[in-house]
Amino acid sequence: MQLFRHIQPLRNLISEAKAEGKRIGFVPTMGNLHKGHLALVELAKSRCDIVVASIFVNPLQFGLNEDWDKYPRTFDADSQKLESVGCDYLFFPDEREIYPNGMAEQTRVVVPGMTDLLCGASRPIHFEGVTTVVSKLFNIVQPHEAVFGLKDFQQIAVIRRMVEDLCMPVEIVPGDIVREDDGLAMSSRNIYITEAERPRAKQLQLTLRWLREQVKDGRRDYLSLEKEGQAQIEAAGFRIDYLQICCSDTLIRAGIDDKQLTILGAMYTEAARLIDNVSLTI
Ligand code: PAF
């Protein structure tokens, strides 16, 4: 695996590979990699000739009271893991490489509407930071396709919309959620879950699955179902951010005619905010 700290040498190699007809896959990350990220690299590897991963803890997508400063930086372990799954190029820029004119002066990419919902409601600047850095990374790497984990379901929906609206020639490929044995979705932020909370942290997934079964069994009173789900999560000792049965395409609360549904939830533990989702067709 070759490491790149700067844009130009990475671009040169990628253009050469493209000139040889190679398909380029891209997996953007913020590091602190777990099996979920590695599965995304493996997926890209199975579909492309060259896989590029990036590690950049993007300050633009963290709110003032969020965990940018304590987000774990684990470069050595990350690069070993990426190498072990056959990643070809690792782009590991510093902040000046990505924001040479400073963050305040940075041109922004905004996807309106969808970014105000769900995670966007409690993390107001988050998606603007994500779409801005992802569009920069797409311009740097110029991949044929980019793989994103379905745990961040809303992030994929927002990025798909950005790619469509801005005519970006990148295919967005979703990668399945990878879970711990008890069902907890793998996340870089799971390290913030305390030992005492850990056995109960699967509750979000349990409730999402319970909601899916209720809908499969014919219930369509989505608002009351959401309330019952929230009560389960609160009874397990967690604070709810949101729990909502949504239309998978628009992420608006589902109506009874919607057929493709995604049930999304976010809850707070003592020191973490965990998100998860399940989808179903009715
Ligand atoms: O999902 C993430 O890790 C980040 O939001 C991403 C896509 C790498 C952008 O910083």
Side-chain angles (χ1 to χ4, degrees), residues 75-281:
F75 177 77
D76 290 342
D78 290 345
S79 82
Q80 277 170 25
K81 287 178 190 169
L82 288 170
E83 184 136 35
S84 76
V85 288
C87 176
D88 298 286
Y89 303 156
L90 170 57
F91 181 47
F92 178 51
D94 67 12
E95 212 174 297
R96 265 168 313 158
E97 190 72 6
I98 297 294
Y99 299 121
N101 301 315
M103 288 206 296
E105 299 298 317
Q106 171 62 46
T107 302
R108 310 292 171 111
V109 177
V110 178
V111 175
M114 192 184 269
T115 53
D116 296 333
L117 311 170
L118 306 167
C119 286
S122 46
R123 305 185 69 194
I125 56 112
H126 173 67
F127 285 115
E128 180 178 314
V130 171
T131 43
T132 299
V133 82
V134 169
S135 53
K136 292 197 74 147
L137 290 167
F138 282 180
N139 284 332
I140 292 166
V141 175
Q142 301 187 7
H144 295 98
E145 59 182 67
V147 186
F148 292 86
L150 273 168
K151 182 178 73 67
D152 297 295
F153 191 90
Q154 187 176 10
Q155 173 169 275
I156 298 193
V158 168
I159 289 170
R160 275 191 203 283
R161 178 64 60 80
M162 171 186 83
V163 162
E164 188 186 342
D165 285 354
L166 298 181
C167 307
M168 293 176 166
V170 184
E171 184 186 348
I172 303 302
V173 179
D176 286 341
I177 302 178
V178 178
R179 299 184 178 282
E180 303 289 354
D181 289 343
D182 68 350
L184 177 69
M186 287 196 185
S187 161
S188 302
R189 290 189 166 98
N190 287 353
I191 49 156
Y192 301 145
I193 302 171
T194 64
E195 242 175 79
E197 292 169 326
R198 180 60 191 85
R200 291 178 283 123
K202 61 182 177 222
Q203 186 59 48
L204 180 55
Q205 172 58 194
L206 290 180
T207 297
L208 289 168
R209 279 197 221 159
W210 177 80
L211 287 169
R212 181 170 60 189
E213 288 315 304
Q214 298 299 305
V215 177
K216 275 190 187 163
D217 287 349
R219 280 187 67 178
R220 298 289 179 269
D221 52 335
Y222 294 149
L223 270 175
S224 17
L225 262 179
E226 287 167 11
K227 287 210 176 81
E228 289 170 42
Q230 286 181 15
Q232 291 181 8
I233 288 173
E234 280 159 9
F238 300 109
R239 186 162 63 86
I240 275 282
D241 182 1
Y242 63 79
L243 188 64
Q244 201 167 305
I245 302 169
C246 296
C247 161
S248 303
D249 289 336
T250 60
L251 297 187
I252 292 170
R253 179 175 279 107
I256 46 165
D257 293 332
D258 287 316
K259 302 283 177 235
Q260 296 287 343
L261 305 184
T262 300
I263 311 172
L264 299 101
M267 70 174 198
Y268 294 98
T269 69
E270 266 170 48
R273 180 176 170 281
L274 305 181
I275 61 172
D276 201 350
N277 65 82
V278 296
S279 291
L280 74 154
T281 307

